[in-house]
Amino acid sequence: MDIQNFFISLLNVVCEMAPYLLLGFLIAGVLHVFVPQRFYANYLSQNNKFAVVWAALLGVPLPLCSCGVIPTAIGLRNEKASKGAIASFLIATPQTGIDSILATFSLMGLGFAIIRPTAALITGICGGLLVNRLVKDEDNCSLSENSQLSTLTPQLIIWRVLKYAYYDMLRDIGLRLLIGLVIAALIQVAVPDEFFLSFGSQPLLQMLVILVIAIPMYICSTGSIPVAAALMMKGLSPGAALVMLMAGPAVNLASILVVHKSMGRRFTAIYLTTIVGFAILFGLLLNATGIDFTAGVQDACCMSTSALPSPLKIVCATVLTLLIIFALMMKLFSKFTTKKALAPGVTVYRVEDMHCSHCEAAVVRAVEEVQGVEKAKASASANTLSIKGSATEEAIRTAVEGIGYTFKGKME
């Protein structure tokens, strides 16, 4: 393998994605701060097709991965959202997001940037309608919106937007994004040209191979983009690439187990069948159009080795790289903070299956409602939950397990 070509390919991919990622993260931060979770519950609480449509529409722009969407969905469920709306939200949300839509445009062209969220929207709606029809749901009631933004200063609001956009999100997906970029560069350099053309007469087989690889993996909607683009340059059909972009981020083994535990067997079966079935369907339809989608990928991924990216792209790539390094270093550092001497009245519990800041926030919200909890802090990297107050261990266990996480008791 040519090391020089590897780093040139990596530089090109990072430079192409960086401006769009930085903009997408900023928009995601604005959505996170200005749109409270209860706003979604107000539109998802009716057991009808309108709640299902709203769930998909509201979920598509949200930058939640397949693990982060689970506690959010369970939280909505606890606030009386219908099962059909929850299914629509679970299916549509992790497939895409405002950041991944912009990143898809940067690497794979306008066609994929339009098709990807459209497919996620349709798949989510259809899955939700199937759940409404086939899964019994109890009565629900809508909730009033409750925003606390009016109590915050403008400086604090801006700080929360930037912190979520350029720290929390990068701490969650930074490592997976970095791995995806490296794998994409390796594919461009190490995999023979037109490798996947050996499956050319069997496009369905390509999709099935991609499904077998993608479904168990834990891959975010943004990290999957450079991998799919690189595979297309090696002969993977556009339809199979779309299957990877849909099924890979939408589900993983951990999320399957949590959904099964929280929502039941029939719900889980419809959830999985809808994702797999519609990914293949949209993949076949995309191939059937006969449109050459590789042109846009070539423009983004295969720049001439003698041509340097523009200064703006280089600056954006440098900023993005530094932000990722900082976020990952802080995440690593947080693993050792729990070893310090504990403050009086603080008890540390072990909680497993947390993967991101959304998981942490869901656990904290749940335990803060327990009587006797004065303050709570969760760490996904260290698998810990620190509680200050007089709440009993059993009450903490009930709250944590009630939202789908594994409670292991006090840390020694």
Side-chain angles (χ1 to χ4, degrees), residues 116-180:
R116 190 181 187 188
T118 302
L121 179 67
I122 295 173
T123 304
I125 292 173
C126 292
L129 293 176
L130 285 173
V131 167
N132 272 350
R133 178 64 65 88
L134 301 176
V135 181
K136 184 179 179 180
D137 199 1
E138 52 270 8
D139 293 335
N140 297 288
C141 59
S142 60
L143 300 171
S144 60
E145 183 178 345
N146 181 24
S147 175
Q148 297 180 343
L149 284 179
S150 58
T151 64
L152 301 178
T153 64
Q155 294 85 353
L156 186 55
I157 292 175
I158 294 173
W159 165 250
R160 287 191 175 186
V161 169
L162 296 177
K163 179 178 179 294
Y164 180 81
Y166 299 123
Y167 177 72
D168 291 342
M169 284 198 67
L170 288 173
R171 191 184 63 168
D172 293 342
I173 73 168
L175 181 59
R176 296 191 292 277
L177 176 60
L178 185 61
I179 291 173

Side-chain angles (χ1 to χ4, degrees), residues 15-269:
C15 286
E16 286 299 317
M17 292 186 69
Y20 297 93
L21 282 175
L22 292 175
L23 175 60
F25 288 153
L26 179 60
I27 297 173
V30 172
L31 289 175
H32 174 76
V33 171
F34 285 91
V35 185
Q37 181 174 341
R38 187 159 292 220
F39 169 84
Y40 296 97
N42 289 334
Y43 289 92
L44 310 185
S45 58
Q46 300 301 318
N47 190 14
N48 56 41
K49 61 184 179 181
F50 297 107
V52 168
V53 173
W54 269 115
L57 285 171
L58 294 171
V60 163
L62 290 182
L64 291 175
C65 59
S66 57
C67 82
V69 73
I70 297 295
T72 304
I74 293 175
L76 292 174
R77 180 60 181 162
N78 292 338
E79 294 184 354
K80 306 304 181 183
S82 69
K83 280 191 174 181
I86 294 302
S88 180
F89 189 81
L90 279 172
I91 293 169
T93 305
Q95 291 188 46
T96 185
I98 190 65
D99 57 319
S100 64
I101 292 173
L102 292 172
T104 302
F105 171 74
S106 69
L107 276 192
M108 306 186 74
L110 181 61
F112 266 99
I114 295 174
I115 293 169
R116 190 181 187 188
T118 302
L121 179 67
I122 295 173
T123 304
I125 292 173
C126 292
L129 293 176
L130 285 173
V131 167
N132 272 350
R133 178 64 65 88
L134 301 176
V135 181
K136 184 179 179 180
D137 199 1
E138 52 270 8
D139 293 335
N140 297 288
C141 59
S142 60
L143 300 171
S144 60
E145 183 178 345
N146 181 24
S147 175
Q148 297 180 343
L149 284 179
S150 58
T151 64
L152 301 178
T153 64
Q155 294 85 353
L156 186 55
I157 292 175
I158 294 173
W159 165 250
R160 287 191 175 186
V161 169
L162 296 177
K163 179 178 179 294
Y164 180 81
Y166 299 123
Y167 177 72
D168 291 342
M169 284 198 67
L170 288 173
R171 191 184 63 168
D172 293 342
I173 73 168
L175 181 59
R176 296 191 292 277
L177 176 60
L178 185 61
I179 291 173
L181 292 169
V182 171
I183 291 176
L186 285 172
I187 290 172
Q188 291 184 32
V189 175
V191 177
D193 291 342
E194 302 180 344
F195 171 79
F196 282 95
L197 290 183
S198 58
F199 298 96
S201 60
Q202 299 174 302
L204 183 58
L205 180 58
Q206 279 191 356
M207 298 177 192
L208 294 176
V209 170
I210 290 295
L211 283 172
V212 170
I213 297 172
I215 286 182
M217 290 176 58
Y218 187 69
I219 184 170
C220 65
S221 58
T222 304
S224 64
I225 297 167
V227 179
L231 289 174
M232 279 185 64
M233 294 310 304
K234 299 300 178 179
L236 187 71
S237 69
L242 182 62
V243 168
M244 182 179 198
L245 293 173
M246 291 180 65
V251 67
N252 62 68
L253 188 57
S255 67
I256 293 172
L257 296 176
V258 175
V259 169
H260 180 269
K261 178 181 177 181
S262 303
M263 308 301 292
R265 180 182 302 175
R266 180 174 294 186
F267 182 101
T268 306

Side-chain angles (χ1 to χ4, degrees), residues 156-384:
L156 186 55
I157 292 175
I158 294 173
W159 165 250
R160 287 191 175 186
V161 169
L162 296 177
K163 179 178 179 294
Y164 180 81
Y166 299 123
Y167 177 72
D168 291 342
M169 284 198 67
L170 288 173
R171 191 184 63 168
D172 293 342
I173 73 168
L175 181 59
R176 296 191 292 277
L177 176 60
L178 185 61
I179 291 173
L181 292 169
V182 171
I183 291 176
L186 285 172
I187 290 172
Q188 291 184 32
V189 175
V191 177
D193 291 342
E194 302 180 344
F195 171 79
F196 282 95
L197 290 183
S198 58
F199 298 96
S201 60
Q202 299 174 302
L204 183 58
L205 180 58
Q206 279 191 356
M207 298 177 192
L208 294 176
V209 170
I210 290 295
L211 283 172
V212 170
I213 297 172
I215 286 182
M217 290 176 58
Y218 187 69
I219 184 170
C220 65
S221 58
T222 304
S224 64
I225 297 167
V227 179
L231 289 174
M232 279 185 64
M233 294 310 304
K234 299 300 178 179
L236 187 71
S237 69
L242 182 62
V243 168
M244 182 179 198
L245 293 173
M246 291 180 65
V251 67
N252 62 68
L253 188 57
S255 67
I256 293 172
L257 296 176
V258 175
V259 169
H260 180 269
K261 178 181 177 181
S262 303
M263 308 301 292
R265 180 182 302 175
R266 180 174 294 186
F267 182 101
T268 306
I270 297 172
Y271 162 73
L272 283 175
T273 303
T274 303
I275 292 171
V276 172
F278 276 84
I280 293 177
L281 174 62
F282 278 107
L284 292 174
L285 290 175
L286 189 62
N287 284 343
T289 63
I291 300 175
D292 182 14
F293 289 93
T294 60
V297 179
Q298 287 176 353
D299 292 340
C301 293
C302 299
M303 299 166 59
S304 169
T305 57
S306 62
L308 288 175
S310 67
L312 173 63
K313 291 181 178 179
I314 292 177
V315 170
C316 290
T318 302
V319 171
L320 179 63
T321 302
L322 292 175
L323 288 171
I324 291 175
I325 292 173
F326 174 76
L328 294 182
M329 287 181 63
M330 293 301 295
K331 184 176 182 179
L332 179 63
F333 176 75
S334 68
K335 291 185 178 182
F336 303 100
T337 57
T338 55
K339 297 181 180 180
K340 297 180 179 180
L342 297 177
V346 174
T347 305
V348 179
Y349 300 97
R350 183 171 181 83
V351 177
E352 298 182 350
D353 301 324
M354 294 188 295
H355 299 286
C356 64
S357 61
H358 299 287
C359 300
E360 295 172 351
V363 171
V364 169
R365 281 196 302 268
V367 298
E368 282 182 340
E369 297 179 359
V370 176
Q371 185 176 1
V373 173
E374 299 176 16
K375 187 177 181 181
K377 181 179 180 181
S379 172
S381 58
N383 292 321
T384 59

